[in-house]
Amino acid sequence: MSSLLFTSLLPPSFFLLGLLNNSSYVIMLAGAKEISEGGVALVFICNVLPSFICKLTGPIWFHKVKYEVRIKACMILMSLSFIIVALSNDYRVKLLGVAAASLQSGLGEASILALASRYQRTRECLTAWSSGTGAAGVFGFAFVWVFNSALGWSFPVMLCAANVLTGLFGVVYFYMLPKQDGGEDDEDEGGDGGEEDHDGLLEDFPRKEISTEGKSQDKSQLLSISDRLKFTRRLYKYMIPLFLVYFAEYAMQSGTWAAIGFPVEDEDARKSFYQNANWVYQAGVFVSRSSGNIWHASMFALWLMPVIQCGMLVLFYLIAIYQFLYSNVLLLGCFFVGLLGGSVYVNAFNRISKDIEKENVELALSTASVADSCGIMLSDVAGLFLQACVYKKFGIEGAAVSC
């Protein structure tokens, strides 16, 4: 009965961890125009740069820090992000709060992706996680809409209420997620404590080797920094599609979608399109990220989807400049953008779990996650200039940079 309960709780736990981990990130995106009207891309940059740095350096230090400690750090950062943005009147201080949310989501994503490799049903865990992160998009925008529009709460009050998400995140990880006896953290420190396989939750392939001191360690933990960097280069065929698809879609979000409105000169019209575009985009992400157990993309498809996404970026920029399509039609395009982005995400990580030798999957999953953050970070810089160029064409003031 106990092992059956553990097995049944595994996918829901990863789903909820994905939803809650990414909620703070999405809430900051949804409130980007509340934080800085003329610098949406600036908010986007602060919402991804700390995450990128964390993931970039993670392969060097993740194995030295227990999962439990990382999750507690995520909880503290999540709460701080909500409080700082809610209580500050200076947009520069608010951006520090956004940065805290970014660091939290990046640390949580890289850690939990790696954690999935410690279970036998790795692909199911990754799909549940991916579905949860997709649901976070819909949930985050819905959360903001319900409290701001439906209930009439101000954005700061809504952020204070969002602290309940921090508690839920801790409850799911520490009390709901199945763990082996002794916990995975004993393994992080090279301990040889007891490890019990709850109904095959853990892989029964040899994931450990005995060091000269007789301590049990993951093989990937024995790699030097140089070896870890060499190993990262092997992941290029998964990381390049992740980079490209996220560069294109976030350049659309922070650049072109933030500068489209009907009429474009109307600030309320621009806010309305931005919110609606992100709603349907997040719905597309949720649908495609939930498809990991249904459709397994070939390597050709994994590379083709980012190329199409780059084409969508060009199309939306032309639409923003020349205004030749209108809202309802454009929203279908936003949904398609979400489908492409979510599909690349779930299929890239599923292919890693399948293609990479099993003793290195944990390291590979956490390492590859830096690619999407890199794409988002660079796209946000591009988005600043895309938005500024559209604003300049239509004589709109308030752009954060000059075109």
Side-chain angles (χ1 to χ4, degrees):
M1 177 64 73
S2 176
S3 62
L4 180 61
L5 178 61
F6 279 175
T7 303
S8 64
L9 285 177
L10 189 59
S13 296
F14 272 88
F15 175 87
L16 290 173
L17 286 172
L19 186 151
L20 294 167
N21 183 76
N22 281 31
S23 290
S24 59
Y25 171 81
V26 176
I27 287 172
M28 296 305 172
L29 292 185
K33 282 188 170 288
E34 298 281 350
I35 297 170
S36 178
E37 158 61 26
V40 170
L42 195 60
V43 177
F44 277 46
I45 290 171
C46 290
N47 209 15
V48 72
L49 181 58
S51 174
F52 169 71
I53 295 173
C54 177
K55 293 177 181 179
L56 185 65
T57 61
I60 300 174
W61 60 269
F62 274 179
H63 62 289
K64 298 180 180 180
V65 182
K66 294 182 179 182
Y67 280 100
E68 177 181 338
V69 173
R70 287 186 248 165
I71 296 302
K72 288 179 179 178
C74 286
M75 294 173 65
I76 293 171
L77 288 166
M78 185 186 297
S79 186
L80 280 176
S81 71
F82 293 141
I83 293 171
I84 292 172
V85 177
L87 299 183
S88 175
N89 293 321
D90 187 330
Y91 83 94
R92 289 165 294 189
V93 177
K94 289 182 179 181
L95 291 178
L96 290 177
V98 174
S102 171
L103 182 57
Q104 169 261 306
S105 63
L107 177 60
E109 179 182 24
S111 298
I112 298 171
L113 280 170
L115 181 63
S117 69
R118 297 190 172 224
Y119 295 89
Q120 184 178 23
R121 295 153 63 187
T122 299
R123 176 169 291 185
E124 191 173 342
C125 292
L126 290 173
T127 298
W129 161 266
S130 299
S131 180
T133 58
V138 179
F139 172 80
F141 276 87
F143 189 88
V144 172
W145 180 86
V146 167
F147 284 100
N148 282 182
S149 300
L151 298 180
W153 292 16
S154 67
F155 189 67
V157 172
M158 180 273 298
L159 287 176
C160 290
N163 274 286
V164 70
L165 302 176
T166 303
L168 291 174
F169 185 67
V171 168
V172 173
Y173 181 83
F174 290 106
Y175 298 102
M176 180 176 173
L177 178 67
K179 296 180 178 67
Q180 66 273 25
D181 284 355
E184 80 287 332
D185 294 320
D186 290 335
E187 297 175 43
D188 289 341
E189 296 182 318
D192 57 358
E195 180 181 297
E196 180 181 339
D197 187 346
H198 291 296
D199 197 30
L201 282 176
L202 297 173
E203 290 279 15
D204 61 355
F205 53 77
R207 294 182 62 253
K208 298 175 178 291
E209 66 183 24
I210 305 301
S211 68
T212 56
E213 292 79 17
K215 292 185 177 181
S216 173
Q217 296 179 325
D218 288 343
K219 289 183 179 180
S220 62
Q221 291 185 19
L222 301 176
L223 297 176
S224 65
I225 293 177
S226 176
D227 290 335
R228 288 170 182 270
L229 294 175
K230 290 178 181 178
F231 177 74
T232 299
R233 291 199 292 269
R234 290 180 50 200
L235 304 175
Y236 78 92
K237 59 185 177 181
Y238 313 102
M239 296 175 71
I240 291 177
L242 280 167
F243 169 83
L244 286 176
V245 80
Y246 275 88
F247 173 84
E249 68 188 67
Y250 275 84
M252 282 182 262
Q253 283 187 315
S254 62
T256 59
W257 295 357
I260 293 177
F262 304 97
V264 69
E265 295 83 3
D266 187 337
E267 180 179 334
D268 289 335
R270 295 196 302 272
K271 284 185 176 181
S272 176
F273 179 81
Y274 178 79
Q275 292 174 349
N276 291 335
N278 277 281
W279 264 103
V280 297
Y281 160 80
Q282 297 294 352
V285 170
F286 173 61
V287 170
S288 57
R289 288 197 181 189
S290 302
S291 67
N293 291 326
I294 301 172
W295 179 58
H296 303 152
S298 65
M299 191 58 70
F300 174 78
L302 189 66
W303 280 73
L304 177 62
M305 288 186 285
V307 174
I308 298 174
Q309 194 79 300
C310 291
M312 294 298 294
L313 170 60
V314 174
L315 176 62
F316 268 103
Y317 179 72
L318 293 175
I319 290 170
I321 290 292
Y322 297 108
Q323 300 281 299
F324 58 84
L325 285 177
Y326 294 95
S327 184
N328 291 337
V329 177
L330 291 184
L331 293 180
L332 292 175
C334 297
F335 182 78
F336 182 61
V337 167
L339 287 178
L340 289 173
S343 293
V344 172
Y345 182 93
V346 68
N347 280 286
F349 288 114
N350 274 342
R351 287 200 66 90
I352 288 173
S353 71
K354 176 184 176 183
D355 298 345
I356 300 298
E357 57 275 10
K358 293 182 178 180
E359 63 269 22
N360 289 324
V361 168
E362 183 174 0
L363 174 61
L365 289 171
S366 63
T367 300
S369 67
V370 73
D372 56 13
S373 293
C374 183
I376 295 170
M377 183 182 65
L378 294 180
S379 74
D380 291 341
V381 176
L384 278 170
F385 292 95
L386 290 174
Q387 183 185 20
C389 289
V390 178
Y391 273 27
K392 180 179 180 180
K393 183 180 187 302
F394 291 99
I396 302 170
E397 297 181 352
V401 298
S402 300
C403 178

